[in-house]
Amino acid sequence: MIERKGSILTVREDIKVFDCTIRDGGLVNNFHFTDDFVKAQYETCVAAGIDYMEIGKNNSPSIMSEEEFGPWNFCKEEDIRRIVGNNDTNMKIAVMSDIGRTVNEELLPAEESVVDMIRIATYIHQIPAAIELVEEAHAKGYETTINIMAISKSFDDELTEVLETVAKSSVDVIYIADSFGSFYPEQINKLTEKYLTIAQAHGKQIGIHAHNNMQLAYANTIEALTYGTSFLDVTISGLGRGAGNCPMELLIGFLKNPKYKLMPVLKFIEEFIIPLEKELDWGYSIPYMLTGQLNEHPRAAMKARDEKDTNYRDFYRNLLAE
Amino acid sequence: MIERKGSILTVREDIKVFDCTIRDGGLVNNFHFTDDFVKAQYETCVAAGIDYMEIGKNNSPSIMSEEEFGPWNFCKEEDIRRIVGNNDTNMKIAVMSDIGRTVNEELLPAEESVVDMIRIATYIHQIPAAIELVEEAHAKGYETTINIMAISKSFDDELTEVLETVAKSSVDVIYIADSFGSFYPEQINKLTEKYLTIAQAHGKQIGIHAHNNMQLAYANTIEALTYGTSFLDVTISGLGRGAGNCPMELLIGFLKNPKYKLMPVLKFIEEFIIPLEKELDWGYSIPYMLTGQLNEHPRAAMKARDEKDTNYRDFYRNLLAE
């Protein structure tokens, strides 16, 4: 059985708190955040001691519509710099690449960009394309992660093969992504052991990206970190698609490193999240709980929430009948 | 280290799902539930396969005001029977006794009552009175529990002494109560080991009553049950004081015993919880998170919520200055 790393009272220097408020939150509003919002979010992260901030996706405008999606779905260099300047801070900037929606050649060399890290979101069947992009981004000078999605639907031996393949690439961090918010802490424990064993054998670190369908995003993040996960994804107030993510303000309460500060996060919540909650819908609710319990994509739940449909029994019956 | 009992895929016959919606929810509205609400809640619990339902407190009308508090703060025999009749079901009925607010002599013999279990809520300094009541209730024919409150503020050796004393009484179940919602799963793990070791040596079982200040009520309940806790407190939609409790609908999703049914709970949520959410405030929010993180009574947070005060930074500063 896997062992605890450090204790509940100590600082673990390998821990990186990774903010993805704009990127995962962008899935709620098609990335239509105002510059004021994104700038305040950036300044909050810097003040709170956050290690990385993911400012959006670098999807290609040749593939996705700039009329439908706001700037943070594309993360053009000039848009990012409008917010972060040269980012003369200790915090690194990341963007996410969706396999199939990016054009590798559009990626600038790292020395011409304010971006430090490319995070690659991939399904298992896209792994060869993901590794191609890892190598391209690595050669251009970026840190890289691979976030393998929907693993709760994969076979265990398949996942092992994928992890072995990914670990042999130039990637720096391999992420456990609980795409459907369907994992329980003891499953996260086993996944942590599996990912960590393979990653460490190749000198890599691992990360966790949790969803809150069953009110377990924070608990699963703590479980993963306790057993050796280094990169911890959070969003302010859990802002993110569907049931949302592990809230930054909760994780900062748990971590013992004094560099992490809660007060700036509370300020952002007061000034930006409270108004946003009147406009956008995210976070735990019964439909998300049901898709999580059944290990299904939250699609149906997002629809029910959009339509303010509270016929939970019908919703559950339909899910069971699928 | 303590071992897992059973596995995530098996049925544990010792598990009892314990509903306390009316009792803990009563702390939100001074027990002013309509009979319709309580009856629907009772029928929901029966249909969902719940093992015990706590219908309120049996505080003495000689000590607390019947004008201020609704009937479920007193749980007179005729009030309970108006809802449950003779309770010809497989579900047992419980009431909670607050030490200092009950009159032991008012307790009917069990054969004259539809109540099966007396749960005794006590602070550490009240333990002798709690044991007196345990013995009285046991002699009168009831099952009994002792729920030791505010243990997150107690010294470890003191708690050991208390548990040793309680375990020697006639009590059936000893509860881990996370009164301030301040425990992390790994602390619940240690408490489970401590409680279980002492309880089992005296032939007793243990229970868990969690609060959701840090979105950990469900995770902590799973942690406790995984390592041998038998009695699991839940409320529908987490209805309960402050940040509320472990939601029944989440726990039923985790348990593998087919006797537990989700559909009746969804029905109750549709028909009774959705309207109630417009009237009453409970559940996770930033002020409760902050009192939980600081291991404080939720009192200040309840006041902030009542006053719709979202000056979270001031709230936090005041807590830190206390």
Side-chain angles (χ1 to χ4, degrees), chain A residues 218 249 270 293 312-313, chain B residues 214 249 270 293 312-313:
Chain A
Y218 177 43
E249 57 274 21
E270 285 178 25
Q293 285 179 347
Y312 297 143
R313 280 171 294 172
Chain B
M214 304 196 292
E249 56 274 23
E270 285 178 26
Q293 285 180 345
Y312 297 142
R313 280 170 294 172

Side-chain angles (χ1 to χ4, degrees), chain A residues 51-171:
Chain A
D51 299 288
Y52 289 75
M53 172 177 163
E54 188 173 56
I55 199 163
K57 297 196 180 195
N58 66 354
N59 289 324
S60 175
S62 68
I63 297 172
M64 296 184 83
S65 155
E66 287 186 89
E67 284 169 22
E68 187 174 353
F69 296 95
W72 313 109
N73 190 38
F74 306 99
C75 284
K76 293 177 188 165
E77 191 68 23
E78 67 264 29
D79 287 327
I80 304 178
R81 286 188 189 262
R82 201 171 63 235
I83 305 297
V84 312
N86 292 323
N87 184 35
D88 296 321
T89 72
N90 291 321
M91 184 173 77
K92 293 182 178 174
I93 302 293
V95 298
M96 177 165 274
S97 295
D98 287 347
I99 291 301
R101 291 182 185 156
T102 52
V103 173
N104 295 5
E105 295 69 32
E106 289 176 3
L107 194 63
L108 294 176
E111 70 258 28
E112 295 172 24
S113 174
V114 73
V115 173
D116 303 283
M117 174 185 266
I118 305 292
R119 297 218 302 172
I120 296 156
T122 177
Y123 290 104
I124 280 186
H125 68 274
Q126 301 167 319
I127 288 290
I131 288 177
E132 216 175 87
L133 181 51
V134 159
E135 298 305 340
E136 170 112 16
H138 178 75
K140 284 180 172 166
Y142 293 97
E143 298 178 39
T144 56
T145 79
I146 286 193
N147 302 23
I148 311 158
M149 298 184 292
I151 56 169
S152 57
K153 294 276 197 183
S154 73
F155 289 105
D156 194 50
D157 56 345
E158 215 175 67
L159 182 58
T160 305
E161 189 186 331
V162 165
L163 290 173
E164 292 283 4
T165 307
V166 166
K168 286 182 195 126
S169 76
S170 300
V171 79

